[in-house]
């Protein structure tokens, strides 16, 4: 991998490699752009298969944050940190489902003093190693002097952010913050997606969700919260998840909801398809099977073979709500919490996704380009004139 070439191709400002032999930290911080303000984006903790995979992920994610923050009109650039998860630290992984995994005070003391808590076993050692890793990362972040602000992402917890906070203030989502409450962030993301679905329907002349069939793929934190909004507005839900209990919960909670096969829900007979599970669901094959007229969901990186898929959706008259415009509720929430906003103000800011999406659709209509390209151009225009 030729790093400068890669940086040039992706327009990346800075790549910081972090290594600490004492904690075992191996991390990459990618600062894609600080044109609009400090780079803002979470910290991922992941067992990468290779060094190259970790670096590429950091660059791709950081660039994605630049575009998401720019199109959402936030005073932040884009960045991301990825920490390479060591096999020995795996056993210590706290419950990431709640996003609130806690290390004990004893663990922090152990890190500070370099001494294991009394009665320590392998798990304690691993937990304290994890704490040590994130605290050390905090020192690296401090040296960046605020050019990058980190927060939660896949595999990290509020307890990890607390460790970083011991060394630097350039971190969000620490214990007690709104961002540390995974449900709040997911709720804001879901609210943004809901707002975007309503905006997309309006664009096609539909003014009410009453009896409108909406297929939701993935009933996790965001998908379930989205179903709640849609159901309250009278939509007819079609749902799918690979975890049967989540489907069951939705069928019980949302009267009239029907079940679809998770592998084929994209082909459901519906008005709106909302991917809220994995990325890459829109492929050259699945796009031919779509029966909806709108694709609008929370999942990141929904397009596989971007150009082909986008062209086919455009040709078939399917309105695509660009994923990073629609799912920006979480980062909007983080950005405004950093400015001191409370839940009500944050909700108002998230609702502005409607205006952003309308501009994307207007720009696409006016110039005959795809909505995906229109979103990119809007972000790039903002970056060109900060
Ligand atoms: P989650 O992990 O809580 O939920 C994902 C759900 O998808 C799970 O219930 C899982 O069982 C289900 N699933 C996995 N594979 C599936 C398949 N093949 N078919 C149907 N269901 C499947 O994740 P969360 O937080 O709800 O996020 C959903 C998506 O939105 C992800 O792509 C995430 O990257 C994206 N996103 C989430 C944000 C947030 O605030 N949580 C912010 C921005 C994007």
């Amino acid at each position: 991998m030729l790093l400068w070439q890669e940086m040039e191709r992706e327009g990346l400002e800075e790549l910081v490699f972090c290594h600490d032999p004492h904690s075992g930290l191996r991390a990459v911080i990618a600062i894609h752009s600080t044109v609009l303000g400090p780079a803002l984006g979470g910290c991922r903790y992941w067992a990468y298969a290779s060094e190259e995979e970790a670096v590429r992920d950091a660059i791709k994610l950081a660039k994605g944050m630049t575009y998401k923050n720019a199109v959402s009109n936030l005073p932040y650039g884009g960045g991301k940190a990825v920490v390479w998860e060591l096999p020995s630290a795996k056993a210590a992984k706290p419950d990431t489902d709640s996003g609130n995994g806690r290390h004990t005070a004893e663990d922090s003391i152990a890190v500070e003093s370099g001494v294991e808590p009394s009665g320590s076993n392998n798990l304690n050692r691993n937990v304290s190693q994890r704490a040590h890793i994130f605290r050390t990362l905090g020192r690296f972040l401090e040296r960046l002097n605020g050019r990058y602000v980190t927060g939660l992402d896949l595999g990290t917890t509020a307890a990890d952010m607390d460790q970083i906070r011991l060394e630097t203030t350039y971190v969000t989502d620490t214990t007690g913050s709104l961002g540390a409450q995974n449900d709040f962030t997911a709720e804001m993301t879901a609210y943004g997606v809901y707002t975007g679905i309503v905006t997309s329907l309006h664009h096609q002349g539909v003014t009410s969700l009453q009896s409108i069939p909406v297929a939701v793929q993935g009933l996790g934190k965001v998908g379930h919260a989205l179903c709640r909004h849609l159901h309250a507005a009278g939509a007819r839900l079609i749902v799918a998840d690979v975890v049967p209990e989540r489907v069951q919960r939705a069928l019980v909670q949302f009267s009239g909801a029907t079940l679809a096969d998770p592998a084929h829900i994209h082909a459901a007979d519906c008005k709106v398809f909302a991917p809220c599970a994995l990325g890459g669901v829109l492929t050259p094959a699945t796009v031919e099977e779509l029966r909806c007229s709108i694709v609008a969901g929370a999942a990141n990186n929904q397009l596989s073979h971007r150009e082909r898929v986008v062209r086919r959706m455009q040709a078939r008259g399917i309105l695509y709500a660009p994923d990073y415009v629609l799912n920006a509720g979480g980062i909007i929430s983080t950005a405004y919490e950093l400015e001191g906003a409370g839940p009500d103000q944050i909700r108002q800011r998230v609702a502005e996704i409607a205006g952003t999406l309308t501009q994307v659709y207007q720009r696409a209509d006016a110039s005959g380009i795809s909505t995906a390209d229109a979103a990119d151009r809007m972000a790039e225009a903002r970056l060109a004139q900060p």
Side-chain angles (χ1 to χ4, degrees):
M1 179 178 190
L2 294 170
L3 280 176
W4 278 319
Q5 239 175 51
E6 183 81 5
M7 287 174 78
E8 197 173 342
R9 190 169 45 241
E10 300 298 345
L12 189 79
E13 278 181 22
E14 192 174 347
L15 203 54
V16 182
F17 288 86
C18 313
H19 174 247
D20 174 63
H22 304 293
S23 59
L25 170 77
R26 277 189 285 177
V28 183
I29 301 166
I31 298 179
H32 181 265
S33 168
T34 55
V35 168
L36 298 173
L40 180 66
C43 173
R44 186 163 285 197
Y45 188 47
W46 204 249
Y48 290 100
S50 70
E51 208 169 289
E52 184 165 338
E53 197 189 301
V55 175
R56 280 195 199 286
D57 204 32
I59 295 174
K60 185 186 83 185
L61 294 167
K63 184 175 181 180
M65 290 312 300
T66 296
Y67 277 70
K68 189 186 286 203
N69 294 341
V71 86
S72 306
N73 249 327
L74 298 176
Y76 290 97
K80 211 87 177 184
V82 308
V83 178
W84 199 340
E85 184 181 348
L86 301 167
S88 58
K90 224 176 181 141
K93 207 168 187 171
D95 172 16
T96 50
D97 201 37
S98 69
N100 286 328
R102 301 272 184 272
H103 298 151
T104 63
E106 270 185 325
D107 299 324
S108 301
I109 293 162
V111 169
E112 290 203 51
S113 63
V115 176
E116 290 291 319
S118 59
S120 66
N121 51 27
N122 276 345
L123 182 63
N124 274 344
R125 201 164 29 249
N126 287 336
V127 170
S128 83
Q129 184 191 8
R130 180 175 174 132
H132 198 174
I133 284 172
F134 282 95
R135 184 162 180 176
T136 307
L137 178 67
R139 285 188 206 122
F140 282 93
L141 295 179
E142 177 64 15
R143 278 183 224 159
L144 292 172
N145 228 0
R147 286 204 304 292
Y148 167 61
V149 181
T150 200
L152 284 174
D153 198 82
L154 271 186
T156 49
T157 68
D160 299 327
M161 299 304 117
D162 293 346
Q163 288 299 323
I164 292 174
R165 184 68 180 79
L166 294 172
E167 299 290 341
T168 184
T169 53
Y170 303 121
V171 56
T172 62
D173 306 335
T174 50
T175 300
S177 66
L178 286 171
Q181 298 162 27
N182 225 345
D183 287 350
F184 181 78
T185 308
E187 175 57 46
M188 287 303 101
T189 302
Y191 181 55
V193 174
Y194 170 73
T195 305
I197 289 176
V198 171
T199 307
S200 305
L201 286 166
H202 274 222
H203 192 73
Q204 292 191 339
V206 180
T207 52
S208 160
L209 263 160
Q210 195 61 45
S211 304
I212 297 290
V214 182
V216 180
Q217 180 185 44
L219 301 167
K221 294 182 290 295
V222 177
H224 188 86
L226 173 64
C227 285
R228 222 184 49 243
H229 289 293
L230 293 167
H231 183 252
R236 189 161 62 72
L237 290 172
I238 302 162
V239 295
D241 198 291
V242 288
V243 178
E245 295 76 40
R246 295 191 180 155
V247 176
Q248 208 44 45
R249 182 178 60 153
L251 294 179
V252 169
Q253 196 173 333
F254 308 122
S255 54
T258 53
L259 168 68
D261 176 347
H264 296 107
I265 187 167
H266 62 273
D269 187 6
C270 60
K271 179 81 179 163
V272 183
F273 170 49
C276 297
L278 311 167
V281 288
L282 299 169
T283 67
T286 59
V287 83
E288 301 302 336
E289 295 168 353
L290 292 173
R291 290 158 80 194
C292 58
S293 65
I294 294 168
V295 175
N300 276 314
N301 304 318
Q302 290 167 25
L303 308 170
S304 134
H305 301 83
R306 186 183 190 277
E307 296 315 317
R308 274 171 73 189
V309 166
V310 155
R311 257 203 318 276
R312 276 306 289 156
M313 278 197 283
Q314 215 182 345
R316 294 195 55 209
I318 297 169
L319 185 64
Y320 170 63
D323 47 17
Y324 71 85
V325 177
L326 210 64
N327 70 17
I331 197 70
I332 291 172
S333 161
T334 302
Y336 282 101
E337 191 182 10
L338 273 170
E339 311 289 310
D344 291 343
Q345 284 166 295
I346 288 175
R347 185 174 282 268
Q348 280 170 21
R349 294 298 185 175
V350 172
E352 290 170 9
I353 286 175
T356 308
L357 196 58
T358 301
Q359 283 178 46
V360 169
Y361 291 159
Q362 284 170 347
R363 186 182 263 251
D365 288 346
S367 43
I369 57 175
S370 70
T371 53
D373 286 344
D376 284 359
R377 304 248 171 106
M378 271 171 62
E380 285 157 7
R382 209 179 151 230
L383 287 162
Q385 286 185 328

